[in-house]
Amino acid sequence: MKTSGVNSNIVGEFATGATITDNGEIFKKMILMDYNSLNVNTLTHELGHFFGLKHTFMGGCTGLNDGISDTPPAEDTYEDTYKDCIAPVQCNGQRRLIENMMDYGNCRFMFTPGQALVIRNTIATKYPHLCTFQLLADEKIDITSNVTVTDLRIPNGGMRKTFIKELEEPQEIEVYPNPVKEVLIVRNAEKEKFTIFNITGQQVLSGTLHSGQIDVNALSAGLYVLKIKNISKCFIKE
């Protein structure tokens, strides 16, 4: 992909989205996106690069990888689509963490605690102006009431029909508390079979949901992936 008006010294790999930098100088650092392929996963992935993260499959099974201990190594290849979000078993028998935002594919939704630490450290050291706090009592905050209310009601019962339709549609599965100490609560998934994997892809617990609860007290502290049907949810065990 060729670009115009971009400094020739800027380094970057231009794909669907690319993070490009010039010696780490923020005024020349940007995220270049292909408008036709723009989506939340691609933008989040490129923001990960912006804040210091590398691909989880970098280096393959034998290389240095991304330098983060809680992202398991993966083969230096990838799929655009994983059917039913079933992850392949790869390096040293470890499950590929296809849910990670720094991989590719259709199942991404999470960062690991190690990746979050890298992001926080990058912000603190390179972009401290992004990490600011302002108290509600701060005089700089404008608390003047200036609210405009728009009537969004649909005539002829349209809103009621929309509401009924939403009730009939399947509800998204939710898990809490997160982090959890003893009992993980799962909403909207009564009597469903579940499987829990640790960060290396090993199955550590399975069963059938009863009253929307899973006893995770026996699990060691760490990051886990809960899989119910074709849905994966990440949680942290304290």
Side-chain angles (χ1 to χ4, degrees):
M1 178 187 297
K2 294 183 179 180
T3 61
S4 60
V6 178
N7 190 314
S8 60
N9 294 325
I10 291 177
V11 179
E13 178 182 358
F14 298 89
T16 301
T19 303
I20 52 182
T21 66
D22 184 4
N23 300 324
E25 298 179 44
I26 187 169
F27 64 89
K28 291 183 180 178
K29 189 164 186 177
M30 67 188 76
I31 294 176
L32 183 65
M33 303 291 296
D34 179 354
Y35 179 81
N36 295 322
S37 302
L38 183 63
N39 60 66
V40 173
N41 280 351
T42 301
L43 180 58
T44 305
H45 178 98
E46 297 306 329
L47 280 170
H49 286 313
F50 190 96
F51 291 118
L53 299 181
K54 301 175 181 178
H55 291 135
T56 53
F57 52 81
M58 181 177 179
C61 295
T62 58
L64 296 177
N65 306 116
D66 61 356
I68 301 175
S69 62
D70 61 359
T71 56
E75 294 177 2
D76 192 12
T77 58
Y78 60 88
E79 300 288 340
D80 289 328
T81 302
Y82 292 96
K83 184 178 180 181
D84 297 330
C85 285
I86 297 176
V89 176
Q90 296 181 346
C91 305
N92 298 320
Q94 296 186 81
R95 175 184 179 275
R96 185 176 184 126
L97 193 61
I98 61 175
E99 296 84 4
N100 195 276
M101 293 304 307
M102 298 314 295
D103 199 341
Y104 289 134
N106 59 314
C107 305
R108 299 173 291 169
F109 69 88
M110 53 82 77
F111 291 109
T112 67
Q115 289 174 315
L117 181 60
V118 170
I119 292 173
R120 288 197 295 269
N121 288 341
T122 301
I123 292 174
T125 56
K126 292 187 176 182
Y127 316 117
H129 61 288
L130 295 180
C131 187
T132 59
F133 299 91
Q134 194 172 37
L135 298 177
L136 289 177
D138 196 316
E139 295 179 355
K140 295 179 180 180
I141 297 180
D142 183 6
I143 60 174
T144 303
S145 177
N146 183 19
V147 179
T148 301
V149 178
T150 303
D151 190 348
L152 299 178
R153 290 176 295 178
I154 304 174
N156 301 322
M159 179 170 285
R160 176 176 173 80
K161 293 177 182 178
T162 302
F163 177 70
I164 293 175
K165 181 180 179 181
E166 290 176 351
L167 289 179
E168 292 174 347
E169 292 177 348
Q171 300 296 304
E172 180 181 358
I173 293 176
E174 300 177 2
V175 297
Y176 64 91
N178 193 6
V180 59
K181 291 184 178 181
E182 298 178 354
V183 178
L184 186 68
I185 308 298
V186 183
R187 294 184 59 185
N188 305 320
E190 291 292 331
K191 298 182 180 179
E192 296 285 355
K193 293 183 179 180
F194 70 87
T195 309
I196 295 178
F197 300 91
N198 62 18
I199 195 63
T200 65
Q202 297 175 317
Q203 179 178 317
V204 294
L205 190 63
S206 64
T208 302
L209 282 169
H210 296 288
S211 302
Q213 298 184 356
I214 302 176
D215 186 352
V216 296
N217 189 43
L219 297 181
S220 302
L223 178 67
Y224 294 89
V225 176
L226 169 66
K227 192 172 183 66
I228 300 175
K229 295 189 290 188
N230 297 328
I231 300 173
S232 297
K233 292 289 184 179
C234 182
F235 70 93
I236 297 174
K237 170 63 169 62
E238 291 186 330

